[in-house]
């Protein structure tokens, strides 16, 4: 389903999951994978419940964007279900990133200064902030305890 070039819709949870998994494309076929590729890790990384992650992962599998396999997970005593992108999912991730960049550019003022904080404009160019941080929530530094 193609979208117009000026599409600036908000990023859905399903799209956030696909973008999250795209960060692990290099290791998705490894024998041992990071915990962020398992359902618990995805939910924790995105700040959603495990149940919501399960629902969205099932939708993504039905749509052909994600596939599931059993693998060893770092720090886990047994093998677990982990999720990886299909070629279709990788395309969706690229589209979502492009859309986020267009949306961020749309928030520039006439003098070129951004109206949004930089973490909202170019979140994937800042290593301390995830691509998936939501602009309506304050960013927390990695490793910071919840207040």
């Amino acid at each position: 389903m193609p979208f117009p070039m000026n599409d600036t819709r908000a990023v859905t949870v399903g799209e956030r999951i696909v973008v999250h998994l795209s960060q692990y494309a290099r290791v998705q076929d490894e024998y041992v994978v990071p915990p962020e590729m398992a359902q618990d890790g995805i939910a924790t990384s995105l700040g959603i419940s495990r149940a919501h992650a399960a629902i969205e992962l099932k939708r993504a599998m039905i749509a052909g964007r994600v596939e599931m396999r059993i693998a060893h997970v770092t720090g886990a005593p047994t093998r677990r279900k982990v999720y990886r992108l299909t070629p279709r999912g990788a395309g969706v991730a690229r589209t979502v990133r492009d859309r986020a960049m267009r949306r961020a550019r749309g928030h520039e003022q006439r003098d070129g200064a951004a109206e949004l904080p930089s973490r909202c404009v170019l979140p994937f160019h800042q290593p301390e902030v995830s691509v998936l941080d939501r602009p309506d929530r304050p960013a927390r530094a990695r490793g910071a305890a919840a207040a």
Side-chain angles (χ1 to χ4, degrees):
M1 169 176 175
F3 295 103
M5 289 302 289
N6 62 355
D7 182 20
T8 57
R9 296 176 295 122
V11 178
T12 67
V13 173
E15 291 170 334
R16 291 173 62 209
I17 288 174
V18 170
V19 171
H20 169 78
L21 289 173
S22 73
Q23 297 176 78
Y24 300 96
R26 282 191 244 155
V27 297
Q28 71 181 6
D29 295 319
E30 297 292 325
Y31 184 72
V32 179
V33 298
E36 292 81 10
M37 291 180 66
Q39 200 174 80
D40 283 336
I42 293 168
T44 301
S45 295
L46 300 182
I48 59 175
S49 70
R50 186 169 172 247
H52 195 178
I55 291 167
E56 294 296 334
L57 284 164
K58 186 174 183 178
R59 286 180 183 161
M61 286 192 300
I62 290 169
R65 292 179 295 220
V66 172
E67 50 190 28
M68 184 269 300
R69 71 181 182 105
I70 305 293
H72 289 277
V73 176
T74 305
T78 59
R79 293 186 313 154
R80 298 201 175 158
K81 290 180 182 178
V82 295
Y83 299 87
R84 64 183 181 183
L85 289 182
T86 63
R88 176 183 282 176
V92 170
R94 279 190 300 276
T95 301
V96 171
R97 280 196 176 108
D98 291 346
R99 192 173 81 221
M101 289 300 294
R102 281 193 307 276
R103 186 175 186 197
R105 284 189 206 118
H107 289 282
E108 291 179 2
Q109 297 173 351
R110 287 187 182 178
D111 63 359
E115 291 178 10
L116 297 174
S118 62
R119 71 174 186 82
C120 299
V121 176
L122 299 172
F124 36 87
H125 292 291
Q126 299 175 351
E128 71 278 359
V129 179
S130 170
V131 163
L132 307 167
D133 281 341
R134 293 181 46 191
D136 58 334
R137 293 186 185 170
R140 286 190 288 179
R142 287 188 182 170

